[in-house]
Amino acid sequence: MSPSRKSRRSPLMGNHQRSWIWGRHAVLEALRAARWNPTEVRWSDDLPRETADEVARLAARLGIPAPHEPAERLRELCKSREHQGLIARMPAYPYLDAREFLEAMPASPCLLVLDSIQDAFNFGAMLRCAEVFGVDAVVVGAAGQCDVTSQVVRSSAGAAHHVPIVRCESFTEFLRELAARGVRVVAASEKAEQSLDCADFRGPTALVIGNEGEGIAPERLALCDETVSIPQRGRVGSLNAAVAAGVLLYEVARQRAAAKHS
């Protein structure tokens, strides 16, 4: 499925300064994935020759300008000394259209639904977890949700270039559509009495994780089939959203892998 080319935002990922991503891993993953293509790439002598050759080859294949620049010029553009000799200017992120995704959704999907995640570090870490554990798509809302930014890309360790991200206008309608298509919607809540290892994630599953401070909105929680919690033994009251996502997705992946081999 190709990403929707329609954007409600400017052609770039934010203003001039905020449209840059930097670091070898983040930029190389953008070029390798070829899903969210930079409008231009710039590199300096800080970049190893082998990496510079790969950048040149990938940029040429995608038709992207990749001029050589002094390292100081890269710092001026991205406002960071941690560019590692490689930066890329990004267009607005190509979110998938919710309706298009539902029509082409896999028969037994594993989805991560994020209800108003606002911290870029958390969002990026969740994308990284989603990619590691084989999630088919991450679903976010059009309002109250952190956008895909340079910080999100860096926090995701490049996973933002590989995991499809669906943006829907109405979570209520989307969750109802999932239920109508046989997808079990499971909410993560520290208040749930059922432990995650007692839930059945082997079939079509959508795991919902709520806002860092407020959790899952009541009207969305009401649409979930069940709630699960992560067993905890320590003195700290709860895990942060990104860590919780990693633990929960591991259990989902474990059960689904076991089902395939049974």
Side-chain angles (χ1 to χ4, degrees):
M1 184 193 316
S2 61
S4 172
R5 295 183 180 277
K6 295 181 180 179
S7 172
R8 299 179 181 83
R9 301 181 180 276
S10 65
L12 293 176
M13 183 187 65
N15 61 28
H16 177 79
Q17 177 184 338
R18 295 183 178 180
S19 65
W20 297 94
I21 63 172
W22 58 89
R24 296 166 196 172
H25 192 70
V27 177
L28 279 171
E29 288 304 315
L31 296 172
R32 290 166 179 164
R35 289 185 61 252
W36 178 26
N37 294 336
T39 60
E40 62 177 294
V41 172
R42 303 194 189 198
W43 61 281
S44 72
D45 290 333
D46 293 341
L47 204 62
R49 172 47 56 185
E50 182 179 350
T51 305
D53 290 343
E54 182 179 7
V55 169
R57 182 175 67 256
L58 293 172
R61 185 182 70 186
L62 297 172
I64 298 170
H68 175 270
E69 298 274 9
E72 185 60 24
R73 177 57 179 157
L74 269 60
R75 187 196 69 77
E76 292 174 357
L77 289 170
C78 72
K79 306 302 181 185
S80 174
R81 295 186 179 277
E82 300 175 354
H83 55 69
Q84 299 179 314
L86 186 60
I87 67 175
R89 195 177 192 188
M90 306 302 294
Y93 184 83
Y95 294 96
L96 297 180
D97 176 76
R99 176 55 55 183
E100 292 177 6
F101 173 77
L102 287 169
E103 294 301 325
M105 186 170 62
S108 183
C110 175
L111 309 178
L112 178 62
V113 181
L114 305 180
D115 185 0
S116 305
I117 298 300
Q118 297 178 346
D119 184 271
F121 292 94
N122 272 337
F123 187 20
M126 289 178 177
L127 293 176
R128 187 173 186 176
C129 292
E131 200 281 329
V132 166
F133 293 116
V135 168
D136 291 300
V138 174
V139 183
V140 300
Q145 168 69 38
C146 174
D147 285 329
V148 177
T149 64
S150 177
Q151 183 59 67
V152 170
V153 175
R154 296 198 304 279
S155 297
S156 78
H161 299 298
H162 296 283
V163 179
I165 305 177
V166 179
R167 184 161 63 183
C168 57
E169 293 294 334
S170 171
F171 260 131
T172 300
E173 291 181 11
F174 190 85
L175 294 178
R176 284 175 176 163
E177 279 284 349
L178 289 180
R181 294 167 187 265
V183 178
R184 192 160 186 79
V185 182
V186 181
S189 171
E190 62 186 45
K191 299 177 182 178
E193 295 183 1
Q194 179 180 219
S195 173
L196 80 160
D197 56 331
C198 295
D200 186 353
F201 296 115
R202 293 172 295 177
T205 300
L207 180 64
V208 185
I209 296 182
N211 171 269
E212 294 93 340
E214 303 297 327
I216 301 170
E219 64 272 18
R220 291 158 195 164
L221 188 61
L223 295 172
C224 296
D225 296 296
E226 60 183 313
T227 59
V228 298
S229 63
I230 299 172
Q232 299 178 50
R233 300 193 181 112
R235 297 180 181 179
V236 177
S238 65
L239 301 170
N240 79 8
V243 174
V247 174
L248 290 156
L249 289 175
Y250 169 79
E251 178 62 18
V252 175
R254 186 193 68 77
Q255 288 191 22
R256 292 166 74 92
K260 287 182 180 179
H261 295 94
S262 62

